[in-house]
Amino acid sequence: MSLIESTLHPEAAAFRHVIPAGEPYLFEVKAGQTLRLLDLEGNQAVDTLFFSARNPRERYDPQRTLRKQNSVYLTTGTVLWSNLGNPLLTITADTCGRHDTLGGACAQESNTIRYALDKRYMHSCRDNFLRGALHDGRLTKRDLGANINFFMNVPVTPEGGLTFEDGLSAPGKYVELKAHMDVIVLISNCPQLNNPCNAYNPTPAEVLVWD
């Protein structure tokens, strides 16, 4: 973990928006701006996708990102790389200390496999991503790749497996990222009711942007 607090003040933010529990949100961050994702009530997974605003076919690449930093967890200093080999954003501050990019987004299929057949049609991050993408018009279903689960705790076992554990976050924890290019940010404020990572209780999250 690399815990570093921000020097930015919320009252000076150029933009801020509270995402209701379980809902999607799509917006843009310009090159040079800093984005803060704020866990308002604690242990809320904020599933996030990043795309180049100039060319949305260019998007966040977890394999390249993990290989270049030689670590499976994201925290302060992590550069988020694109599938074209360009830096999208860098994490510049982090008071949580661990963010997952391996567990993926919950979907109808994973609800069925992880939990139970009758959970299949519960609301999911995959559905949220589709809603946000189709509403925007620049993104399609084929653009939805691997995402980052900010504030989510998914330890890797010595055997190489994944486990979903209680979150490490708490009310007021945040992560900040500085954009290296104009980026589209597509968020699913995770609606999952069956995962201990959010204490089975989806809560609101806030985004703030500074020039």
Side-chain angles (χ1 to χ4, degrees):
M1 294 186 185
S2 183
L3 301 179
I4 293 182
E5 294 190 6
S6 173
T7 59
L8 299 175
H9 300 288
E11 59 270 18
F15 171 79
R16 58 192 304 179
H17 174 78
V18 173
I19 308 173
E23 291 299 308
Y25 189 58
L26 184 146
F27 61 105
E28 287 192 29
V29 176
K30 302 298 184 183
Q33 289 186 321
T34 296
L35 162 67
R36 176 184 293 181
L37 302 176
L38 175 61
D39 187 0
L40 288 170
E41 298 185 29
N43 292 335
Q44 174 57 30
V46 179
D47 290 36
T48 308
L49 292 166
F50 295 106
F51 306 85
S52 164
R54 184 175 62 85
N55 172 25
R57 305 297 84 76
E58 181 173 11
R59 55 186 179 268
Y60 169 69
D61 184 337
Q63 290 81 16
R64 192 184 300 265
T65 298
L66 298 187
R67 185 170 65 248
K68 281 182 173 287
Q69 72 159 355
N70 197 33
S71 173
V72 296
Y73 303 116
L74 311 183
T75 187
T76 307
T78 298
V79 177
L80 306 183
W81 293 87
S82 80
N83 58 326
L84 299 184
N86 298 312
L88 291 169
L89 309 98
T90 295
I91 298 178
T92 53
D94 181 13
T95 60
C96 178
R98 177 183 289 184
H99 307 277
D100 165 63
T101 192
L102 297 175
C106 56
Q108 288 188 3
E109 294 79 6
S110 62
N111 282 344
T112 304
I113 294 171
R114 290 178 185 167
Y115 309 118
L117 186 61
D118 64 355
K119 308 297 186 185
R120 175 178 176 84
Y121 296 105
M122 294 184 71
H123 197 30
S124 69
C125 286
R126 176 73 175 177
D127 291 339
N128 271 349
F129 285 150
L130 285 169
R131 287 170 59 200
L134 296 178
H135 177 75
D136 180 70
R138 288 172 293 178
L139 304 173
T140 66
K141 183 177 181 179
R142 66 185 296 178
D143 295 313
L144 303 181
N147 64 287
I148 298 172
N149 297 308
F150 287 106
F151 309 112
M152 192 168 175
N153 184 24
V154 185
V156 179
T157 68
E159 296 76 28
L162 300 179
T163 60
F164 294 84
E165 303 293 343
D166 291 345
L168 299 175
S169 189
K173 298 288 187 180
Y174 59 82
V175 57
E176 284 183 1
L177 307 98
K178 185 169 184 177
H180 297 292
M181 64 174 74
D182 294 352
V183 293
I184 299 169
V185 185
L186 177 54
I187 288 175
S188 170
N189 193 26
C190 185
Q192 185 56 251
L193 296 169
N194 303 289
N195 194 315
C197 292
N198 66 357
Y200 310 102
N201 179 40
T203 54
E206 186 173 13
V207 297
L208 301 91
V209 178
W210 286 265
D211 292 329

